[in-house]
Amino acid sequence: MKFSDGSELKTLLPKIGHRIFNIETGSFTYPMTNETPIGTTTFNENGEFITLISKEIIYEDVEFYNVVTDKHMNIFTNTILT
């Protein structure tokens, strides 16, 4: 996925990987599904409102992490709130 601030985010299969904060719905949605269309607004670690400008499915190995904490479930991944 590419965003209006130039950032990119790789994720896993459509309903397995990172969800992003979707300002239009007020919830975290899976970006590679219809619930997160091109033009969805989210924000980055600088507090800037940015939009999803493109999505592309690429089949490749992706290194990923499953972060779990005692208090928080949300983190910034490649500058995007996930």
Side-chain angles (χ1 to χ4, degrees):
M1 293 161 284
K2 294 184 181 180
F3 296 86
S4 59
D5 68 343
S7 60
E8 295 185 7
L9 180 64
K10 290 183 180 180
T11 189
L12 301 175
L13 300 173
K15 287 200 171 190
I16 294 176
H18 299 295
R19 290 181 288 164
I20 65 170
F21 186 69
N22 180 327
I23 290 175
E24 285 77 19
T25 65
S27 63
F28 287 85
T29 56
Y30 290 102
M32 295 306 288
T33 66
N34 292 335
E35 63 185 354
T36 312
I38 300 297
T40 295
T41 309
T42 190
F43 64 92
N44 63 21
E45 66 186 4
N46 298 319
E48 301 166 324
F49 292 98
I50 59 174
T51 56
L52 178 61
I53 59 171
S54 69
K55 303 187 218 185
E56 181 181 5
I57 296 175
I58 300 171
Y59 295 95
E60 66 181 8
D61 291 336
V62 175
E63 187 172 339
F64 69 96
Y65 301 92
N66 186 15
V67 178
V68 178
T69 69
D70 290 337
K71 299 180 186 197
H72 303 285
M73 293 299 294
N74 304 325
I75 62 172
F76 287 94
T77 307
N78 287 14
T79 76
I80 307 300
L81 181 60
T82 62

